[in-house]
Amino acid sequence: MNRRSIIRHSLAVAASLAVGLVPLRAFALGPAPEALTDPVELTVGYQKVGHLAPITLISDELEKLGVTLKTVEFARYADARTALLSGSLDMATVGPADLAISLSQGSKNVVGLMGVGSSKKYVIARKGVELNSWEDLKGKKVGIAPGSAVWFQFAATVTENDIPYDSFTAVNIQGGGANFDQALKRGEVDAIVTWEPFESVPVIEDYGYFAKNLEYSASEAVGAELGMLMATKDALEEKRGAVERFVWAYLSSQEKLAADPAAFAAAYADLTGLAPDVAAEAAKPITLGSVVDQEQIERQAKAFAELGVIQQDVSDQIADHWDPSIVEAAKGQ
């Protein structure tokens, strides 16, 4: 079953396939804010990945609150970060490391607001390739997306497990996640470090497997966060009311999906275009809701500088570029 040729079924099928999944993280949310007197347009960059499924459900709600949502799709977090820094976006979903990367590049017009989800992450090995321990990576070809959120998680974990990064061959794969799956399927690499739903596709199609002894989401430096919502300082100053309503609507949508695995699987399929059975499988390991905080981002920034991924340690700058107050207000805290 080639991912590109998967025939989409009705979303109702996704609901039936998701029955039996455990409820995801839920939290209290404050009442809806009042509508803005003068409507405001908000431009938000996003990616078609499952943990961002809540974004598909908020446009109508935002219209009621006086916010016109304009979304721009990006293949990777790094592309959305670049667009945000250029000023063409008000907000974007980016990787947990992108705040530190932005600051290290001298870009000060960014503020991290919240995380969006977490998940256990495993190296995906090709069938027939034994990966039972981190030592087994030595001599293997591993497909990576350099500079991506998952690569940061993987690189930090490899380092923490005392595996020299040059003991295996890191194969840079460009483009979307489907390219990783094809490289694994064709035998061009022995393993891949990628993201859902492209992690589950090789397993479902039976040419790959989760190497569960090679979990890289438990890194002390990086953690299990799948992404982060970041805004420009300009947007927070000039469109703060719209940003506040976006965050409230997003959290409201997130809360509903977190409490209803069937609805989450359906929204996942709707966003990504995957068949419901694939989307339901890919949704299983994901927990909606943030696990990242200022301290975690500071640890990331310090670790990335030590790894040489970024040119300077900007951990002391994170506090000035992390604002949890909008989320706290949305939750009535």
Side-chain angles (χ1 to χ4, degrees):
M1 181 178 62
N2 187 284
R3 191 190 72 85
R4 294 182 181 275
S5 63
I6 292 173
I7 300 176
R8 290 181 59 189
H9 305 299
S10 68
L11 294 182
V13 177
S16 64
L17 288 166
V19 171
L21 299 183
V22 296
L24 306 174
R25 176 175 300 174
F27 47 82
L29 189 65
E34 294 182 358
L36 295 173
T37 303
D38 298 315
V40 174
E41 181 177 270
L42 202 62
T43 304
V44 180
Y46 78 106
Q47 301 74 31
K48 285 189 174 182
V49 290
H51 56 273
L52 298 179
I55 206 168
T56 66
L57 307 176
I58 64 176
S59 182
D60 290 344
E61 186 65 38
L62 283 174
E63 284 290 343
K64 298 175 185 176
L65 298 176
V67 179
T68 300
L69 178 62
K70 178 183 177 183
T71 57
V72 183
E73 181 189 337
F74 294 90
R76 294 189 178 189
Y77 282 148
D79 301 327
R81 180 190 75 231
T82 300
L84 187 72
L85 298 182
S86 74
S88 60
L89 301 173
D90 297 311
M91 305 171 68
T93 50
V94 297
D98 282 322
L99 179 56
I101 292 173
S102 300
L103 296 175
S104 73
Q105 294 174 343
S107 300
K108 307 300 183 183
N109 188 30
V110 288
V111 180
L113 302 180
M114 67 178 193
V116 293
S118 60
S119 173
K120 288 190 174 183
K121 304 287 290 182
Y122 305 106
V123 173
I124 308 300
R126 193 176 75 250
K127 277 289 189 71
V129 175
E130 289 192 15
L131 289 182
N132 298 314
S133 70
W134 289 106
E135 289 285 337
D136 290 339
L137 276 182
K138 294 180 178 179
K140 301 295 192 301
K141 293 181 179 180
V142 182
I144 65 161
S148 66
V150 292
W151 178 79
F152 281 119
Q153 289 178 303
F154 173 72
T157 303
V158 166
T159 300
E160 290 174 14
N161 281 276
D162 297 321
I163 303 299
Y165 196 78
D166 59 2
S167 66
F168 56 88
T169 301
V171 179
N172 295 345
I173 298 178
Q174 302 300 320
N179 295 343
F180 287 74
D181 292 343
Q182 289 303 310
L184 189 70
K185 191 172 187 177
R186 290 193 294 259
E188 297 170 359
V189 293
D190 300 303
I192 55 176
V193 175
T194 185
W195 51 91
E196 288 292 8
F198 308 105
E199 292 169 307
S200 292
V201 169
V203 179
I204 293 171
E205 296 185 7
D206 200 35
Y207 60 85
Y209 67 94
F210 292 108
K212 292 198 172 181
N213 289 333
L214 278 68
E215 179 188 349
Y216 60 91
S217 54
S219 162
E220 180 179 349
V222 183
E225 186 67 55
L226 291 173
M228 183 171 64
L229 184 63
M230 196 157 72
T232 65
K233 281 191 173 182
D234 291 341
L236 287 181
E237 292 174 2
E238 300 167 10
K239 301 182 179 181
R240 189 175 184 89
V243 173
E244 291 171 342
R245 283 153 181 80
F246 176 91
V247 168
W248 182 90
Y250 189 94
L251 290 174
S252 177
S253 174
Q254 187 181 70
E255 183 180 49
K256 292 171 185 175
L257 295 185
D260 188 344
F264 177 36
Y268 196 138
D270 190 33
L271 174 63
T272 62
L274 288 176
D277 56 343
V278 179
E281 191 66 27
K284 288 181 180 178
I286 296 173
T287 299
L288 296 175
S290 176
V291 299
V292 75
D293 55 21
Q294 178 185 321
E295 289 72 23
Q296 179 69 66
I297 299 296
E298 289 173 350
R299 287 197 296 274
Q300 289 181 16
K302 189 173 186 63
F304 296 150
E306 292 173 350
L307 289 170
V309 174
I310 58 178
Q311 297 304 308
Q312 61 175 317
D313 182 358
V314 295
S315 57
D316 61 344
Q317 300 179 35
I318 299 299
D320 293 332
H321 296 270
W322 179 260
D323 184 1
S325 66
I326 293 179
V327 172
E328 291 169 353
K331 294 182 179 181
Q333 298 176 351

